[in-house]
Amino acid sequence: MNKLSIVIIAFISLLTVSCSDHDDPKLAPIDTTKVKITANVSETPTGQWMNVTEEMTIRVSNLEMSAPKGVVLRSVSLIASSGNVRYSIDDKPYSGEPLEFKIPLTNMRGRLNFTLKGNLIQKNSRDAEIIIADNIQKIVFSQQPKFECEGWLYVSVKSKSTTGEEYNQTFEVRSNENLDIPVPADKLYWTPSSGTASEIEISLGSGGTAWSSNTTFDCKITKSAIGHSSGDESTLKLTIPNKPGSLNAQKLQLYVIASYFGAWENVTIDPYNLTNVFSIIEAE
């Protein structure tokens, strides 16, 4: 028998022993109650949902294991499930270094749950699995939902000249595609026929309309505010000089908070709140 034959026989014997160590149903499995694994698990992107054209990344770092002597963490597997459908994403050998799983979402859709499992081996024992992280959830749609909103103002202007002449204007303005709400300057400021008018009183009311142009989600406006934060009131009264540019100097904004909810592509989402911000400006 030559040396090559001896090496081949020895290799086959090693495989036989290895298989019997891990696959023999007569052997007891590793006692996972005595095994504990902790790790830092992160995902990107972190948004609530994605679409089928995107790629998701799950990273595993600072992995630590406490286990009886002889138990080895052979690899880490990433599994995804959606309803009754189960996807085996990848299985990476573990060497002590951080792991990174890239997940193309091309063939996935719906509400997904990702699970990281550690694959354990031990001599004279059957293989076992232990969950490292579970409930890593992501929703995958065929396309990114589009959420749109239009803001509007009710404007009332009052003024009185030094000779008693009164000025009253009431009108409504809506936002444009630049997210501005242009208030016509010729309806704000005025020149009395006699005397002078140094100030104008403005009352502003707010509201909005929201919708999703490419989904079946429902939506409603939950709050609107005028001022410098979304915590301001939905109405505002102020007195400004009767001089073009005075409203711009206030640097006011309209905040419209819309809530989107319901079902699309057989997935029901939790209410998703979006704050839309519009700049209130003068327009010629």
Side-chain angles (χ1 to χ4, degrees), residues 44-276:
T44 53
T46 57
Q48 184 176 1
W49 46 67
M50 302 177 68
N51 65 72
V52 293
T53 66
E54 295 181 275
E55 181 180 80
M56 180 181 174
T57 301
I58 294 179
R59 296 179 177 88
V60 182
S61 60
N62 298 326
L63 192 151
E64 296 182 358
M65 182 175 78
S66 61
K69 185 177 179 180
V71 176
V72 176
L73 177 62
R74 180 180 60 187
S75 63
V76 176
S77 299
L78 178 64
I79 310 297
S81 58
S82 177
N84 296 324
V85 181
R86 185 179 174 89
Y87 308 87
S88 179
I89 306 298
D90 201 355
D91 181 75
K92 292 183 178 293
Y94 181 67
S95 63
E97 297 297 319
L99 302 173
E100 184 174 88
F101 295 87
K102 295 285 187 180
I103 311 149
L105 300 175
T106 307
N107 298 316
M108 299 184 184
R109 189 176 297 181
R111 189 181 297 274
L112 301 176
N113 180 71
F114 293 94
T115 302
L116 286 163
K117 291 185 177 182
N119 301 303
L120 306 173
I121 58 173
Q122 184 181 31
K123 188 175 182 180
N124 297 324
S125 297
R126 275 191 288 135
D127 293 354
E129 295 178 342
I130 186 170
I131 293 178
I132 298 174
D134 199 8
N135 293 322
I136 305 171
Q137 296 196 5
K138 190 70 67 173
I139 295 173
V140 181
F141 291 121
S142 61
Q143 56 185 312
Q144 195 70 18
K146 294 180 181 179
F147 300 122
E148 303 185 56
C149 182
E150 180 183 56
W152 25 271
L153 289 177
Y154 299 109
V155 184
S156 176
V157 184
K158 294 182 179 181
S159 182
K160 181 181 287 190
S161 73
T162 53
T163 59
E165 184 180 353
E166 295 185 353
Y167 177 74
N168 291 281
Q169 278 276 13
T170 301
F171 55 93
E172 181 182 314
V173 286
R174 294 178 178 262
S175 60
N176 58 26
E177 59 185 11
N178 297 321
L179 302 181
D180 294 327
I181 298 186
V183 181
D186 60 359
K187 292 186 177 182
L188 283 177
Y189 309 108
W190 70 298
T191 302
S193 57
S194 63
T196 59
S198 60
E199 295 179 334
I200 57 174
E201 297 178 2
I202 302 177
S203 295
L204 301 174
S206 61
T209 304
W211 67 96
S212 177
S213 59
N214 67 340
T215 75
T216 55
F217 290 136
D218 295 319
C219 51
K220 65 178 180 180
I221 303 299
T222 59
K223 188 180 189 303
S224 63
I226 304 171
H228 301 101
S229 80
S230 60
D232 289 328
E233 297 297 323
S234 61
T235 60
L236 177 68
K237 291 184 177 182
L238 67 161
T239 300
I240 63 175
N242 183 24
K243 177 182 174 182
S246 298
L247 182 62
N248 284 343
Q250 300 293 317
K251 300 185 183 302
L252 298 174
Q253 292 181 309
L254 168 64
Y255 301 84
V256 179
I257 302 176
S259 179
Y260 300 86
F261 53 93
W264 179 51
E265 295 187 342
N266 296 318
V267 174
T268 299
I269 63 168
D270 295 328
Y272 175 69
N273 296 324
L274 184 63
T275 301
N276 303 271

